[in-house]
Amino acid sequence: MVYDFVIQGYVGLTAREGMGDKPRLTKSYVIDKATALTVAQAISTALFHRERTGEGQHLQVDMLGAGLQFHWLDGMSDHTLLGDDFEAVPHMGAAYDVRPTKDGYVTLNLASKSTWPRLLKLFDSPTISDDPRFIEYEDRQRNAEALMDAVDAVLAQWTSDEVVQRMRENDLPGGKSLAFDEVHLDPQTIHNRALVEHDNGPIGWIREPRPAARFGAKETPDPGPAPILGADTNDVLRSLGYTDDELEVLAATGITEASS
């Protein structure tokens, strides 16, 4: 029997999360969701193929294949090149982590070629800018742990808000690592109306994401409450030709749930 956590172990994701230490599960059903997205993409492709050729497709998607496809490109990059004529460097995941500040954590990219000069302005620290271990991109990859230690020592002087402000001033990607109860309060999330709140019937008020894809031809409606049991039964049966009198009989005999 297969579940998300099973496939996480088989595609190398748990090993990558552990980074040489104890393997760890990603605390999100990433394989389940990656498989669903793979299926949706395959269906869309098959429908497009049918529209162009008139030929249908029989689709087969397994979670192992979807998980490998999803994780391999970046998660297994150090196991992709099979020759012996290249230099192995630490996996990018070695530096792919949040960095601690005086009062929390932030995210930022330490090894990028394009942003490094601007990062040096943010750090404003000769212990980083003058260190020969960090001059070139390849140097920063080889010495990722030393670089993280040096960066952590600088960031510990500032609050997360101060670090983010320095990022903005130097046109750098990054931000705060928000606590669970801060996510819905983020100004950009509010501006994008990425989350909505509504009455979900028997469940009560809930908060959930809007559909991420926005189509210009028509406004995407906000998600609403899930239909309760039997809410659509009569509409479906009417579409199949049942009369209102027949629906009343079905409801009275308990064959269908009574609904308006």
Side-chain angles (χ1 to χ4, degrees):
M1 188 173 291
V2 67
Y3 288 91
D4 178 279
F5 65 88
V6 177
I7 301 301
Q8 283 198 37
Y10 276 102
V11 302
L13 188 55
T14 53
R16 184 58 66 200
E17 289 295 303
M19 287 300 297
D21 196 356
K22 174 187 174 182
R24 300 176 184 274
L25 285 167
T26 299
K27 303 301 189 293
S28 177
Y29 300 138
V30 290
I31 303 299
D32 279 351
K33 290 181 281 190
T35 303
L37 291 172
T38 302
V39 169
Q41 183 182 47
I43 291 172
S44 297
T45 303
L47 290 173
F48 182 74
H49 176 80
R50 187 186 68 178
E51 189 273 332
R52 287 297 180 90
T53 68
E55 180 184 61
Q57 299 283 329
H58 176 73
L59 300 177
Q60 290 183 304
V61 179
D62 63 90
M63 287 180 65
L64 180 63
L68 285 168
Q69 176 181 282
F70 181 79
H71 175 61
W72 191 276
L73 179 63
D74 53 347
M76 299 291 289
S77 59
D78 51 348
H79 291 268
T80 297
L81 298 176
L82 302 181
D84 54 7
D85 57 347
F86 61 90
E87 179 185 2
V89 298
H91 186 268
M92 53 82 69
Y96 204 68
D97 205 350
V98 295
R99 312 268 31 110
T101 64
K102 185 185 293 185
D103 64 348
Y105 295 87
V106 295
T107 59
L108 72 163
N109 189 335
L110 298 180
S112 172
K113 289 183 179 180
S114 61
T115 61
W116 183 248
R118 302 198 298 279
L119 272 170
L120 291 179
K121 292 182 180 179
L122 181 152
F123 298 139
D124 190 25
S125 170
T127 60
I128 296 177
S129 59
D130 296 344
D131 195 315
R133 297 175 297 175
F134 312 144
I135 299 299
E136 301 295 338
Y137 175 73
E138 292 76 11
D139 297 327
R140 295 192 291 277
Q141 285 189 308
R142 296 188 192 96
N143 301 289
E145 291 190 13
L147 175 59
M148 288 188 289
D149 290 342
V151 167
D152 289 350
V154 174
L155 296 184
Q157 307 172 56
W158 304 316
T159 65
S160 295
D161 285 335
E162 290 170 335
V163 175
V164 170
Q165 180 60 34
R166 285 174 172 264
M167 290 181 188
R168 300 294 177 264
E169 293 170 353
N170 290 282
D171 191 25
L172 290 165
K176 296 172 66 174
S177 176
L178 299 177
F180 293 131
D181 58 0
E182 294 176 320
V183 172
H184 69 287
L185 301 175
D186 175 66
Q188 190 65 54
T189 299
I190 295 173
H191 174 77
N192 290 4
R193 294 190 63 243
L195 295 171
V196 294
E197 299 177 7
H198 60 85
D199 186 353
N200 200 25
I203 299 176
W205 279 89
I206 67 170
R207 179 186 296 126
E208 63 178 338
R210 294 181 67 204
R214 313 288 173 86
F215 298 93
K218 187 177 181 180
E219 178 69 18
T220 303
D222 290 344
I228 61 174
L229 181 64
D232 298 317
T233 300
N234 285 352
D235 289 338
V236 172
L237 292 177
R238 285 190 186 101
S239 72
L240 297 175
Y242 284 80
T243 67
D244 288 347
D245 289 341
E246 291 173 321
L247 295 180
E248 290 181 6
V249 172
L250 292 174
T253 55
I255 295 175
T256 64
E257 290 285 332
S259 60
S260 58

